[in-house]
Amino acid sequence: MCSRNQWRSPTAEAIFRNHDFYHAKSAGVSASARIRLSDKLINWADMIFVMENEHKRRIKKSFAGSLAEKEIIVLDIEDEYQFLDPELIELIKHSVRPYLERF
């Protein structure tokens, strides 16, 4: 998740689009997001990755009833990359790897 679902989270979704085991969907927490986070998306997810602490805070505030025992992981990736930026791709892969290796 990111704010507007414009660069970072769509890049993460694209990385895992054709993966054999992991599936990702992206959404934003802002009212102006291209695709907005919903209860349906939260229920679909096993884990929720967000780019910044602010995103986690907003999700907890707006979707407390849907979170149950969902894990929200903050990747600490700032909004300074464009869609599919090679540096962003490597940063996302590196940041999520420890969490995905648990499965």
Side-chain angles (χ1 to χ4, degrees):
M1 305 296 147
C2 60
S3 293
R4 293 184 324 228
N5 189 239
Q6 193 171 2
W7 308 121
R8 295 173 290 174
S9 59
T11 296
E13 181 177 359
I15 292 168
F16 295 100
R17 182 169 289 129
N18 296 315
H19 197 281
D20 291 336
F21 187 71
Y22 304 113
H23 305 282
K25 294 183 181 183
S26 66
V29 295
S30 171
S32 64
R34 186 178 57 86
I35 297 171
R36 289 189 63 194
L37 182 61
S38 65
D39 290 311
K40 183 177 179 178
L41 281 173
I42 289 173
N43 291 330
W44 174 84
D46 292 321
M47 289 186 289
I48 300 170
F49 292 97
V50 298
M51 300 298 165
E52 301 173 17
N53 279 310
E54 175 63 15
H55 302 141
K56 181 176 181 175
R57 187 194 65 73
R58 291 175 73 174
I59 291 170
K60 284 184 160 189
K61 180 180 177 186
S62 299
F63 296 96
S66 299
L67 290 172
E69 296 183 23
K70 301 285 181 174
E71 184 174 10
I72 301 176
I73 299 133
V74 180
L75 300 177
D76 287 320
I77 298 175
E78 294 185 29
D79 192 10
E80 57 187 43
Y81 302 96
Q82 296 295 309
F83 180 64
L84 295 178
D85 180 310
E87 186 178 340
L88 176 58
I89 291 171
E90 287 308 310
L91 189 54
I92 290 170
K93 286 181 178 180
H94 175 76
S95 297
V96 302
R97 184 174 293 122
Y99 301 98
L100 300 182
E101 290 175 350
R102 295 189 291 184
F103 287 91

